[in-house]
Amino acid sequence: MISQRLVPLFLCASAGALAAAEVPTFNRDIRPILSENCFLCHSTDPDHRGGDLRLDMRDDAIAPSDEGPAIVPGHPEKSALIRRILSTDPDEVMPSAKAHLPPLKAEQIDTLKRWIAGGAVYESHWAFTPPKKAPLPGDPAANPVDAFVRERLAKAGLTPSAPAAAEILVRRIFLDLTGLPPSPADTAAFLAAASADRVDKLSDRLMATPQFAERMAMPWLDAARYSDTHGFSIDDHRDMWGWRDWVIAAFLKNQPYDQFLTEQLAGDLIPDATPDQIAATGFLRNSMNTHEGGTVPEEYRIAQVIDKVDAVSTSMLGLTMKCAQCHDHKYDPIPQRDYYRFFAFFNQSSEPGLGAKNGSTLPIMPYSSPLGDGGMAGVKARIAELEYLQLHPSPEIAAARAAWEKSVEPAPAAPATFPWAEFASASAKWIWAGPVQPAQTVSLRREITLAGPVEEAWLFTTCDDSSIFKVNGQSASEVTLWMNPAVTDVTALFKPGTNLLEAAATNVGGAGGFIAMLAVRTASGWQMISSDASWLGKTAAAADFAPATVIANFGDAPWNDVTTSVRPAAGADIAASIAIPAADRTPGQWTEINQAFLKSGDPLVPRMKNILLTLVTEIKVLQPDLKRGKTTVMVMDHKPDLRKTHILNRGAYDQPTDEVTPGTPTALPAMAAENPTRLDLARWMVSRDNPLPARVAVNRIWQMVFGRGLVETAGDFGNQGSWPTHPELLDWLAVDLMDHQWDLRHVLRTILSSETYRQSAETTPDELELDPRDQLLSRSPRPRLPAEILRDETLAVSGLLDETLGGPGVHPPQPELWSEISHFGYEYPFTAQIYLPGRGTSAHRRSIYTFWKRTSPPPELAMFDAPTRETCTVVRGNTNTPLQALVLMNDPQFVEAAIALGRRMLAEGGETPASRVDFGFRLATGRAPTADESALLVKSYDKHRARYAADPAAATAYSGDPSPDLATAAMLSSILLNLDEFVSRP
């Protein structure tokens, strides 16, 4: 069966039948039928060809054979192709039963017959021929979009729809260009403008804003498979947000599209390349990788190069070149040799197959984001969020800790004679401070002799990363974070005479250290004992103890003097800190409470320890960025003599065959350069001789605006792809793009200034019958808004949206799913293994900045068809499921937005239910409600208010406030945020 996306419009009953006198054309009418039903066995791939027949080549198709030519031009009744299609013999009929395809439809057979009767004229595939500007049909002064669209409508017996209402049009323009709705002031200003060019002026103003740049970047991140994590297996984090900011900045400054592609393909090879140009090559480094044990580096390196070929060919050429990885392409003229010649362009980088742990993989470069302050404010904010989580790891732990607090009894107060000032100024230093191997555990010990009974003893310990301290074999303290030292009353553990102090300290990579300070009071006074070089130590591999200096250098203090930041609570009385209201506790008091809770034996203590250890790791990987004032970006380099490129048998990394040199597909114009590099590839890519990139670019712009491209299969302009709904318009726009220095804004101006764009979305029964999928654009399309825009619009109308530009990924509330599929709890933690939510306004940033984990993308975005970004994606799905309604009604952020919008309705919407409903409706839809809509919503408002007035507990449960007015307004807001008019393009 020919899929709906491939059925030529003339075959759709809704599009009108082709006139009997009109001879079908090969590209538009015949190629899709042959491609879907015949080319699998009768095309380019000799390994799967049925006999010697090729139907993609005219000379082969009309050549004599034992049963006669497959095609006899002018004579369908003599053509073996038609005879076989009509045969009732199961051994003769085509398509063969082995192909598992249904018989051709009657109208398809009729089309083939009329094409053969008309001479069976073949054409080169339309996408491989240079685009040309056809004369505009009708009025030569008309907008080209209108000229070509109206011509098609007229042939189908349709006329354009009436113009959309002004308040609908302004909302459409804002959402299409910025991904955000207009404010009431924006709408009022547009309605008040009397000039005929008000749409053009508004469009130009919006296209100069950062919000437009963010909107343009959204689909490119899908195509570039952008993510904040590596992807495979462990899927820990990488730093690529600087490249994402480069993309936004490129659209903000309206970088010509040919330059945009050139820098991403070969910015590092441009003479005197700037940091921005080099950083642009991060596009090629967005491939997935892994550092899992057992990884075969060369296998994964080859997989990364294959991914580059796929991303470049799909996003820039609109070709499915990946089909030729293992064999000649079955449908398009791309032999396997051409695939590996293209592969060779990306095979000369030093990029390894084995990824880095908890960060970016070489080659990398320090990079300052071109947006804002370079992203450092975001780094600082994220570190602050993680430090907060060190005190409050998760809601479930907070609940368990609160329950434990009720069981804590006061401890004896420490005497006022405790010499804390002397203690804090003691000369304790880190026992080991130089670089050590990952996960080194050392044992430390020292004996002390006391003259008499111990009247008081206090122990201070801290360690990077964790330690257990014992006195005479009994546990005295345990710490898991060096910045959260423990101060413990250990009086009961000492005895007169010789006492043994022991510590088992563990460091996870990098420099580490351990401090212990002991203050002991006997009848003769206070005695101070500090960890120093006189202690004994040994590693796990050592047989005997030796002076601790054998472990590492002694005496450095790489993390400053933490000893002055902690004071013991009076008598180490945790109850005193617990008695302070939670909202008034200091970080130090929370630290004391957490340290005590970690010793409580609560079932959640192991999870808390894992979270705290993970938090230390997360903070460590951010601190270098803050120290140098820059992030890092994975980039390309060029090592021309690094390796040779071979065709890989069946695509297997370890089965090289013939050697090949860099080159482009032979079906496309040749590249002039000898020994070409990626820079030559980039120049070839944007050459006017290349028939594909300009078409692909304007098609993606059309898809962004109308929800579907002129070529519906935006990633496949080959034989299996869709025939353009308006081929002359596609080519006109492609040439016009190149004529205007590859200015994408110019293409958008052309589209938005058309009457086609400004049509109403209302339809008629005739339009639904003749143009059910709106392929002819008889009306304005109304697709559901993309996932990111749906969330951003919700935050915007509620007043919550934070429009800060750029910076590292943020972590809005979402279910904690990561730990269920990750290595969370592993002894040596990885980043991005547990979801650690952000705080404050970072949770309300635009969705383009949401931290993207490939193995678990943001669920509220994935629910609305956002891809995982494991591979290049240029067309998103468009599903409609009950779960989407549940997200809109119950997701914490959508509930939060409904409550915030409810507050706006109460504060700004007047005193009556009708005025509040009117205000909220205008915010959500951009227009005033009709009388019926207003009456229905007011009735709902009154119903909910009566319910919440009678049940304050229900009001509190929904809105966090017993006020029936807020709960009612929030409930009405949720209804408004679930309207089809709100979630769809207007």
Side-chain angles (χ1 to χ4, degrees), residues 136-300:
L136 298 185
D139 182 1
N143 179 289
V145 173
D146 294 330
F148 290 111
V149 168
R150 287 173 179 175
E151 181 189 35
R152 288 299 310 280
L153 289 175
K155 288 182 178 179
L158 291 166
T159 57
S161 294
E167 61 266 29
I168 299 301
L169 182 58
V170 65
R171 175 172 161 79
R172 181 186 300 168
I173 295 170
F174 265 83
L175 287 172
D176 285 345
L177 292 185
T178 70
L180 297 173
S183 68
D186 290 322
T187 301
F190 184 79
L191 297 180
S195 61
D197 61 350
R198 62 178 179 176
V199 170
D200 298 331
K201 289 181 176 179
L202 176 61
S203 300
D204 285 342
R205 178 172 72 82
L206 293 181
M207 284 192 285
T209 64
Q211 291 72 35
F212 168 77
E214 292 168 326
R215 171 68 185 99
M216 292 290 286
M218 287 178 188
W220 190 250
L221 298 189
D222 284 355
R225 61 263 185 265
Y226 170 79
S227 176
D228 295 295
T229 63
H230 290 316
F232 289 119
S233 183
I234 296 167
D235 199 22
D236 45 343
H237 107 283
R238 61 169 50 160
D239 287 322
M240 286 299 284
W241 57 265
W243 174 81
R244 181 249 288 140
D245 285 3
W246 176 89
V247 173
I248 296 172
F251 285 118
L252 183 57
K253 67 183 181 182
N254 197 27
Q255 185 179 58
Y257 186 68
D258 59 342
Q259 183 181 344
F260 181 74
L261 295 189
T262 297
E263 293 185 2
Q264 291 182 87
L265 283 174
D268 58 311
L269 297 178
I270 295 173
D272 301 317
T274 66
D276 285 338
Q277 290 172 326
I278 299 172
T281 64
F283 169 86
L284 295 172
R285 295 296 310 283
N286 280 322
S287 307
M288 297 199 299
N289 64 20
T290 182
H291 53 77
E292 186 181 15
T295 296
V296 179
E298 182 63 6
E299 179 181 11
Y300 278 85

Side-chain angles (χ1 to χ4, degrees), residues 719-909:
N719 284 312
Q720 286 291 90
S722 302
W723 172 257
T725 58
H726 300 76
E728 294 87 359
L729 174 57
L730 176 67
D731 282 6
W732 200 100
L733 292 173
V735 174
D736 199 48
L737 172 66
M738 295 185 284
D739 287 345
H740 287 83
Q741 291 74 51
W742 297 84
D743 183 355
L744 295 178
R745 293 187 190 178
H746 173 76
V747 177
L748 278 165
R749 288 188 193 98
T750 301
I751 295 173
L752 268 66
S753 63
S754 70
E755 294 180 10
T756 299
Y757 176 81
R758 304 178 193 186
Q759 291 181 106
S760 167
E762 296 180 3
T763 189
T764 67
D766 286 344
E767 288 174 349
L768 288 176
E769 181 180 355
L770 296 174
D771 189 17
R773 299 185 64 227
D774 200 19
Q775 291 175 292
L776 301 183
L777 293 170
S778 58
R779 57 196 178 275
S780 183
R782 290 193 69 249
R784 193 198 63 230
L785 295 172
E788 294 91 337
I789 294 178
L790 185 55
R791 176 179 173 272
D792 295 351
E793 178 193 27
T794 301
L795 293 174
V797 299
S798 70
L800 295 175
L801 184 66
D802 178 353
E803 296 190 49
T804 302
L805 281 176
V810 294
H811 298 70
Q814 69 177 48
E816 205 300 276
L817 303 174
W818 292 7
S819 62
E820 302 301 320
I821 58 168
S822 72
H823 292 66
F824 174 69
Y826 186 56
E827 183 179 0
Y828 312 118
F830 304 110
T831 52
Q833 304 302 293
I834 186 172
Y835 192 76
L836 301 166
R839 302 185 68 228
T841 60
S842 74
H844 303 140
R845 295 280 303 281
R846 291 199 73 172
S847 301
I848 193 172
Y849 302 114
T850 297
F851 188 96
W852 206 277
K853 182 178 173 70
R854 283 188 168 113
T855 54
S856 184
E860 76 279 5
L861 301 182
M863 198 65 68
F864 289 94
D865 303 310
T868 63
R869 294 190 181 155
E870 295 174 76
T871 57
C872 173
T873 303
V874 293
V875 180
R876 289 189 178 186
N878 191 4
T879 61
N880 191 2
T881 72
L883 291 178
Q884 292 167 349
L886 292 176
V887 169
L888 294 175
M889 290 188 291
N890 298 309
D891 179 272
Q893 278 219 298
F894 284 88
V895 172
E896 180 188 17
I899 295 170
L901 178 55
R903 293 185 188 279
R904 289 193 69 182
M905 290 170 62
L906 296 178
E908 305 172 51

Side-chain angles (χ1 to χ4, degrees), residues 219-220 222-225 257 261 265 283-284 305-324 329 332 334 339 342 346 665 668 684-685 692-700 703 711-718 871-876:
W220 190 250
D222 284 355
R225 61 263 185 265
Y257 186 68
L261 295 189
L265 283 174
F283 169 86
L284 295 172
V305 180
I306 288 170
D307 177 68
K308 291 173 175 58
V309 173
D310 178 37
V312 171
S313 62
T314 302
S315 67
M316 300 181 190
L317 293 171
L319 293 180
T320 56
M321 283 186 65
K322 61 184 175 184
C323 296
H329 202 297
D332 294 334
I334 305 174
Y339 177 89
F342 202 78
F346 311 105
L668 296 173
W684 170 86
M685 185 73 68
L692 287 169
R695 282 184 172 124
V696 170
V698 297
N699 190 66
R700 189 161 48 240
Q703 177 179 269
V711 177
E712 190 167 355
T713 53
D716 186 0
F717 278 46
T871 57
C872 173
T873 303
V874 293
V875 180
R876 289 189 178 186

Side-chain angles (χ1 to χ4, degrees), residues 541-565:
D544 298 311
F545 282 89
T549 51
V550 303
I551 298 171
N553 296 330
F554 167 77
D556 295 336
W559 293 278
N560 302 316
D561 187 1
V562 298
T563 64
T564 61
S565 64

